[in-house]
Amino acid sequence: MARKYLIETYGCQMNAHDSERMAGLLEQAGYEATSDAADAEVVVINTCSVREHAEDKLYTRLGELRVLAQEGGHNPIVVVAGCVAQQEGGSLLKRSPGVADVIVGTQAIKRLPMLVERAMATRRPAIDLDPFEDVTFPLGITRRSDPVKAYVTIIEGCNEFCSFCVVPYTRGNERMRPKADILADARDAAASGRKELQLLGQIVNHYEAPDDPSCDFTALVEAIHEIDGIERIRFSSPHPRHFSRAFLEAMQRLPKICRHLHLPAQSGSSQILQAMRRRYSRESYLELVHTIRELLPDVALSTDIIVGFPGETDADFEDTLSLTREAQFHSMFSFKYSQRPNTLADKRMPDDVPESVKTRRIVELQALQHTIQSAINARTVGQTVQVMVDAASRRLDTELSGRTSQNVVVNLPGSADWIGRTVPVRIERAGPHSIWGQVSLTDAPTEPTLQNAGN
Ligand code: SAH
Ligand code: SF4
Ligand code: F3S
C-alpha cells in the first residue's frame, strides 16, 4: 500500500500554490493523498506569518499532532513549510523539541521529498532554509487542486519592504520568472482543461521578463491572452504605485482579462501611507481609482485595509472611511494591525493603538463596507451575467456556485457537470457576499461589456 501524505495550507494563494507543488513532488515520490492526519505518514503544515494569529495556528496544530502521537500512538513525519518555517527555522525546535521532523523554507520546497527521506532514515530533524534564487519548477509536477482554475506564478518574493509586512523576509528578494516558463506553465494548465488562470506575485504589475527585455506585465498578459482554451485571466496583486495607463488600455482591448482589480489601499490617510512606506498618497490612489472608472467603467475594485497601524489617529481612520466611501469597493479584506518580526514597524514604531480601538475601528469599517457592497450587489438583480461555474455548493447538492468576471460569487441551481462552463444567469436575489439567480438561455447578457471568448 502506498504511503500517505496530508498537506494543510494556512496562507495566501502563493502559499496554496506551494502546497500544490509539494503535493506533486510527494506524489512523484510515491505518496498518495489522504485527508486524515491519523492516516498519514507525512503531515505538511504550510504556514503563514503575515499576522500573529496566522502564525499561532501552527503552534496550536503542532500541539494537536503531539496529542495524536501520545494518545493515538500515531507518529507521522511532521513537516513545517511556508513563511513561519523560513522565519523561525531551527528555533521552532528550540521552542519545543521534537515537534517537527522537517523544516523547509519557502525557497527549498523542491527538496521536500529528499528531506522527508533523510528525516525518516536518520530520525533527526532535517532543516533547509536556503534562499535559492532559482525560480524554475519542473513542468507537469504540480498537482493543481482546482478543476477549473490554475495558479501560475510570475514573480517570487518582494523588494518593497512596506513597514508592516513580513513577506520580504519570508519569501526573499523579488525574482521574475522567465516569460518562456510562464507561458509553458499556462499552456500546460490550458491543456489540462483549466479555463481560468490566476497569475501570482506580490506585485504582479512590476513584472519584467528576464528572458525578454521588451516584455513587461502588459506584454506578458497579452501573450497569455493568446493561449487557446483559457477564457479568463486574473492576477493578484497589482500595486497601486506600479499601474500604467498602457495596462488599463490593454484591459480595454483584451476581453479575457477579468473585470476586477484588487488594489490594496491599506489606509486612506497619506500620513499613515507614508509611515507604511507604501509610496503613494491618498490622492494618487483615488486618482488611479478615477482613471480606472473612466477607462473601464465595468471593472470591480477590491482592496485590503489595515486598521490600527502605529500612530493611527481617529482622523486618520476617518480618512480610511472616506476613501472607502469614495472608492466604492466590491469587496474588502480588513485586518487589525499585527506587529511582525524583523519589519521596520517592529523595530521603530510602537504598536500603540489599543486593541479595543482596533476592534472598534474594524467593526465600523466592516459595517460601512457591508452597506456599500450590499448596494452594489443589489443593483445586479434583474441583470443577466456570465458566470463561470467553478464548484458544487457545499450546502445543497442541487446548487452550484461560480463567479462573474467582476469576481462576485453567484449561486445557481444546476448540475455538477456544468463545472467549468460559463453560463448566462439572470439574477433574482442579492446579499452582501453573493448573489443568486437561474440560468437563462433566452436572455442576452446585460452585463456591460464582457463576453468571454470561447463561450
Ligand atoms: N503584496 C500584497 C500584500 C500581501 S499581504 C500587496 O502589497 O498588496 C496581504 C495583506 O495582508 C496586505 O495587503 C495587508 O493588508 C495585510 N497585512 C500584511 N501585513 C500585515 C500586518 N502586519 N498586520 C495586519 N495586516 C497585514
Ligand atoms: Fe508586503 Fe508591501 Fe511586498 Fe505587499 S508590496 S508583499 S505588502 S512588502
Ligand atoms: Fe502568503 Fe502568509 Fe507568506 S500571506 S506570502 S503565506 S506570510
Side-chain angles (χ1 to χ4, degrees):
M1 228 175 53
R3 297 176 297 178
K4 303 239 169 77
Y5 75 91
L6 168 67
I7 301 182
E8 300 178 356
T9 305
Y10 295 172
C12 60
Q13 292 172 311
M14 228 165 272
N15 183 256
H17 189 41
D18 285 344
S19 289
E20 296 182 335
R21 287 176 160 184
M22 289 190 283
L25 291 164
L26 289 173
E27 290 186 13
Q28 192 190 34
Y31 288 86
E32 246 174 41
T34 175
S35 54
D36 184 1
D39 200 26
E41 265 104 309
V42 176
V43 176
V44 181
I45 309 175
N46 196 9
T47 59
C48 172
S49 179
V50 78
R51 285 168 290 277
E52 194 180 354
H53 177 69
E55 180 172 347
D56 287 344
K57 274 175 74 176
L58 166 66
Y59 306 119
T60 308
R61 188 60 180 138
L62 287 174
E64 288 167 4
L65 290 173
R66 182 172 262 189
V67 171
L68 185 73
Q70 282 164 354
E71 291 173 13
H74 181 66
N75 212 348
I77 293 281
V78 174
V79 179
V80 180
C83 287
V84 182
Q86 189 72 44
Q87 173 189 303
E88 296 296 319
S91 63
L92 280 171
L93 298 173
K94 286 199 201 101
R95 184 176 167 145
S96 38
V99 286
D101 304 286
V102 175
I103 298 176
V104 57
T106 52
Q107 315 303 303
I109 60 172
K110 268 193 278 191
R111 311 222 296 209
L112 174 66
M114 196 268 285
L115 295 166
V116 169
E117 291 303 321
R118 200 205 295 164
M120 280 177 174
T122 62
R123 307 201 158 270
R124 292 224 314 271
I127 303 177
D128 190 341
L129 304 174
D130 267 7
F132 303 115
E133 293 290 299
D134 180 18
V135 290
T136 61
F137 194 82
L139 207 58
I141 300 284
T142 302
R143 187 176 162 279
R144 300 191 194 279
S145 54
D146 190 293
V148 181
K149 308 172 197 171
Y151 293 132
V152 175
T153 301
I154 66 166
I155 306 180
E156 308 244 15
C158 184
N159 290 347
E160 199 76 6
F161 292 94
C162 300
S163 62
F164 53 81
C165 184
V166 81
V167 172
Y169 307 92
T170 63
R171 300 197 76 98
N173 290 332
E174 182 179 71
R175 283 149 296 142
M176 309 287 175
R177 196 174 177 205
K179 176 187 175 186
D181 290 12
I182 296 170
L183 291 177
D185 200 1
R187 286 195 197 99
D188 176 71
S192 72
R194 268 69 184 192
K195 306 267 193 263
E196 178 174 307
L197 296 182
Q198 303 195 341
L199 310 182
L200 301 182
Q202 294 302 341
I203 306 186
V204 285
N205 52 349
H206 201 214
Y207 183 76
E208 280 172 33
D211 52 340
D212 177 356
S214 68
C215 179
D216 61 3
F217 182 59
T218 306
L220 178 74
V221 174
E222 274 175 327
I224 291 173
H225 200 270
E226 300 287 306
I227 298 174
D228 285 339
I230 295 304
E231 296 175 14
R232 288 185 171 185
I233 303 168
R234 298 188 190 275
F235 44 84
S236 57
S237 303
H239 193 289
R241 86 184 181 97
H242 291 290
F243 258 95
S244 69
R245 193 171 178 103
F247 181 74
L248 298 175
E249 286 167 1
M251 272 187 85
Q252 292 178 314
R253 288 194 302 278
L254 303 174
K256 293 182 185 177
I257 306 182
C258 286
R259 306 292 104 173
H260 169 224
L261 290 171
H262 185 63
L263 271 187
Q266 314 300 0
S267 168
S269 151
S270 288
Q271 223 165 319
I272 294 296
L273 286 169
Q274 196 176 6
M276 288 176 161
R277 283 174 49 96
R278 289 292 287 181
R279 288 175 269 195
Y280 52 82
S281 62
R282 169 196 177 84
E283 291 71 31
S284 64
Y285 182 92
L286 285 172
E287 206 176 293
L288 174 63
V289 168
H290 292 138
T291 307
I292 294 168
R293 298 282 185 228
E294 187 187 304
L295 297 180
L296 297 153
D298 55 335
V299 159
L301 299 178
S302 60
T303 200
D304 294 345
I305 298 282
I306 296 174
V307 302
F309 185 80
E312 186 186 70
T313 62
D314 282 338
D316 292 320
F317 177 63
E318 282 302 320
D319 285 346
T320 295
L321 293 175
S322 67
L323 177 128
T324 300
R325 271 184 225 106
E326 196 161 336
Q328 293 285 306
F329 299 111
H330 263 65
S331 68
M332 173 189 286
F333 297 97
S334 48
F335 311 101
K336 293 186 209 174
Y337 172 70
S338 166
Q339 196 167 25
R340 303 311 292 139
N342 307 316
T343 59
L344 222 74
D346 179 37
K347 289 185 198 129
R348 300 207 194 134
M349 304 171 205
D351 183 7
D352 58 1
V353 177
E355 186 60 26
S356 59
V357 175
K358 288 180 183 170
T359 303
R360 178 158 44 77
R361 287 181 186 162
I362 202 165
V363 167
E364 189 174 351
L365 177 64
Q366 288 177 348
L368 169 63
Q369 179 57 27
H370 188 276
T371 310
I372 291 171
Q373 69 191 50
S374 299
I376 290 174
N377 286 347
R379 289 201 288 274
T380 63
V381 173
Q383 288 185 7
T384 297
V385 295
Q386 293 290 333
V387 178
M388 182 179 282
V389 179
D390 54 29
S393 155
R394 264 169 279 155
R395 283 169 298 131
L396 287 173
D397 56 5
T398 52
E399 197 156 278
L400 301 172
S401 74
R403 285 177 191 260
T404 64
S405 176
Q406 279 90 351
N407 210 31
V408 176
V409 174
V410 184
N411 296 306
L412 61 147
S415 71
D417 58 2
W418 292 2
I419 291 174
R421 282 172 54 186
T422 301
V423 292
V425 176
R426 193 176 157 80
I427 301 306
E428 296 176 14
R429 292 199 302 271
H433 304 293
S434 61
I435 58 182
W436 191 92
Q438 305 204 50
V439 167
S440 153
L441 295 171
T442 49
D443 276 354
T446 48
E447 209 174 9
T449 55
L450 191 77
Q451 271 280 22
N452 271 310
N455 294 337

